[in-house]
Amino acid sequence: MTAVSAVTTAAPGAPVVDLDLADLRHDPYPAYAELRARAPLAWVPSVGRHLLTRYEDIVHAEKLPEVFSSREQGSLLLRTVGPNMLREDDPNHRRLRSAAEPPTRPRQVRDLWAGAFERTAHDLLDRIAGRGEADLIADFAEPLAAANLALVLGLHTASATDIADWSRAMMAGNSNYADDPDIWLRAERATGAIDDAVAEAAEAARREPDGSVISSMVHAAEPVDLTEIQNNVKVIIGGGVNEPRDVFGVGAWALLNRPEVLDRVLKEPASWKRVFEETARWVSPIGMYPRQLTRDYEIAGLTLPAGSRVGLVIASGNRDESVFERADEFDLDRPNRPHLAFGGGPHFCMGAWVARHEVSAVAWPLVFSRLKGLRLAAGTESPLEGWVFRGPTALNVTWQAA
């Protein structure tokens, strides 16, 4: 595909909407509602791109990867981790994904990883159960997601703390639209440490395959070189920690604020799956990702020239009132419509089944069964923050310690 130079100005006729990044980090949803109603395709100078905010337009764009290319010039993700499958189009995207994906499929999650996920969750709960209080993000959800991810990836020498720290540093880089140099420095340190850990793991997997993602890439039918493995493990570490951690936190917070819904779920364990899907729709852990047009294209009533930078705002699409009735409400009984939280098209989130299992089949059921009388700590306000990535910064709770 011939490269097209990035266009960093508004398309002719596109409305220009000034959005303050601090306001978006606090709560992006009022701004998204206004954009959907008045400017569903708008140029936003503070993020240097057009934002596409309606559900149907986002779905349409996802079905046209040959037009809405993942190969965006100047991508923050490329700057943070280097060339990777999320910023590739087919056939190279397909080659890399086919190499990495097998260990994350539903059967492999069930057969290879589910038992270890449950043991890790019990171990973490053993550490806090007698305390009667905790931050469920720092003390449980983040170390659970990080430990599980280290296992699935095959990073046997990396601790859960390492994985979590690396993920936070890279995700900060990937949303560093303010170009903060300290954020870039932390991201560079994290990616250097990951490169070293992956090189060691890849050599071990070459000698003795272990079913992990790194092992799968090392032994892929189509060759994948070490740099490609390193860069794609960086991408997976980012999403593989923050998505399950943040869905866990948002869902737990939602239920603790709705005791009648929680009582119902506890009586109907099969409904944890519905809790997961509604949580991911209601507050999408990844709120926006970039695309760049390979040619002129009309969408949302405007023609974007080739090279235009676009943000597909899936958090907004998941609150689109034309698709989800009472979209701002957390509602387990809403009609089943596909949400956009895991993306779509060829870039549908590779770790979706891992996240679904570790949160809805393991983390929530164990937390709410083992921590009796679980409730939010007094004075707890909304802990949510972020717009490119959104989730709880903390979730302080108390319970009846044994």
Side-chain angles (χ1 to χ4, degrees):
M1 183 182 296
T2 303
V4 178
S5 297
V7 176
T8 56
T9 57
V16 178
V17 178
D18 291 313
L19 296 179
D20 184 87
L21 294 183
D23 290 341
L24 290 179
R25 284 192 294 270
H26 174 68
D27 182 2
Y29 290 107
Y32 294 161
E34 187 73 12
L35 289 176
R36 288 193 304 272
R38 302 182 183 278
L41 180 62
W43 174 260
V44 180
S46 56
V47 296
R49 68 187 62 246
H50 301 86
L51 295 186
L52 194 64
T53 51
R54 287 183 180 166
Y55 180 99
E56 296 297 345
D57 293 330
I58 295 168
V59 170
H60 182 77
E62 284 282 34
K63 292 178 179 177
L64 294 171
E66 70 277 11
V67 178
F68 292 84
S69 173
S70 298
R71 294 176 178 169
E72 186 195 61
Q73 296 176 18
S75 161
L76 294 181
L77 182 60
L78 285 175
R79 178 172 175 178
T80 303
V81 308
N84 63 85
M85 71 175 89
L86 282 187
R87 293 296 169 262
E88 279 288 354
D89 297 321
D90 289 341
N92 204 33
H93 166 265
R94 188 184 304 113
R95 174 180 65 87
L96 294 169
R97 177 152 179 155
S98 297
E101 186 176 38
T104 68
R105 293 171 181 158
R107 176 176 291 181
Q108 280 73 16
V109 172
R110 182 193 66 207
D111 294 346
L112 295 178
W113 317 121
F117 289 178
E118 187 165 345
R119 288 191 295 273
T120 300
H122 276 298
D123 288 345
L124 289 168
L125 289 172
D126 286 344
R127 297 177 194 176
I128 65 173
R131 287 167 30 187
E133 62 180 15
D135 171 1
L136 283 182
I137 301 301
D139 295 328
F140 179 76
E142 185 169 270
L144 176 69
N148 290 345
L149 187 61
L151 178 68
V152 174
L153 286 173
L155 289 172
H156 305 299
T157 63
S159 68
T161 299
D162 291 333
I163 298 289
D165 288 346
W166 295 339
S167 177
R168 281 195 299 272
M170 290 189 299
M171 290 301 93
N174 194 30
S175 57
N176 190 19
Y177 287 94
D179 203 25
D180 184 327
D182 289 337
I183 290 177
W184 289 128
L185 180 60
R186 291 197 297 274
E188 289 167 8
R189 289 172 177 165
T191 56
I194 294 170
D195 284 343
D196 292 342
V198 173
E200 181 179 354
E203 183 57 35
R206 199 175 304 280
R207 297 191 302 268
E208 187 174 348
D210 60 10
S212 69
V213 168
I214 289 173
S215 180
S216 182
M217 297 188 84
V218 165
H219 297 283
E222 292 188 71
V224 181
D225 66 36
L226 177 60
T227 298
E228 290 176 317
I229 297 173
Q230 290 167 323
N231 290 354
N232 285 288
V233 167
K234 294 170 197 171
V235 168
I236 296 168
I237 287 175
V241 173
N242 84 288
E243 289 190 39
R245 177 198 66 205
D246 292 348
V247 171
F248 170 90
V250 171
W253 177 68
L255 292 174
L256 290 169
N257 276 298
R258 296 164 177 80
E260 71 288 351
V261 179
L262 176 58
D263 288 344
R264 172 186 159 191
V265 171
L266 293 177
K267 293 173 183 175
E268 303 172 4
S271 63
W272 284 119
K273 294 179 180 179
R274 291 207 307 277
V275 176
F276 184 94
E277 302 307 328
E278 176 63 355
T279 300
R281 180 209 66 84
W282 186 53
V283 179
S284 306
I286 295 178
M288 186 276 286
Y289 44 84
R291 294 291 184 261
Q292 184 172 324
L293 268 69
T294 60
R295 59 179 174 84
D296 296 358
Y297 194 80
E298 182 179 345
I299 191 167
L302 289 169
T303 298
L304 294 175
S308 292
R309 291 154 53 109
V310 179
L312 304 187
V313 190
I314 57 176
S316 174
N318 280 340
R319 296 280 188 106
D320 190 330
E321 304 84 347
S322 70
V323 177
F324 303 103
E325 186 178 354
R326 295 172 287 100
D328 289 333
E329 296 181 20
F330 180 87
D331 179 8
L332 295 188
D333 295 316
R334 68 176 59 257
N336 185 25
R337 291 292 303 272
H339 62 72
L340 307 176
F342 292 110
H347 287 280
F348 180 81
C349 178
M350 192 179 82
W353 290 107
V354 174
R356 284 184 169 110
H357 187 87
E358 67 181 320
V359 176
S360 68
V362 175
W364 283 330
L366 288 181
V367 163
F368 282 98
S369 65
R370 290 195 55 182
L371 305 181
K372 304 300 183 183
L374 187 66
R375 59 194 179 275
L376 294 172
T380 299
E381 298 180 355
S382 171
L384 306 184
E385 184 178 284
W387 70 282
V388 179
F389 307 100
R390 187 165 181 82
T393 53
L395 189 63
N396 295 307
V397 296
T398 62
W399 63 90
Q400 300 162 6

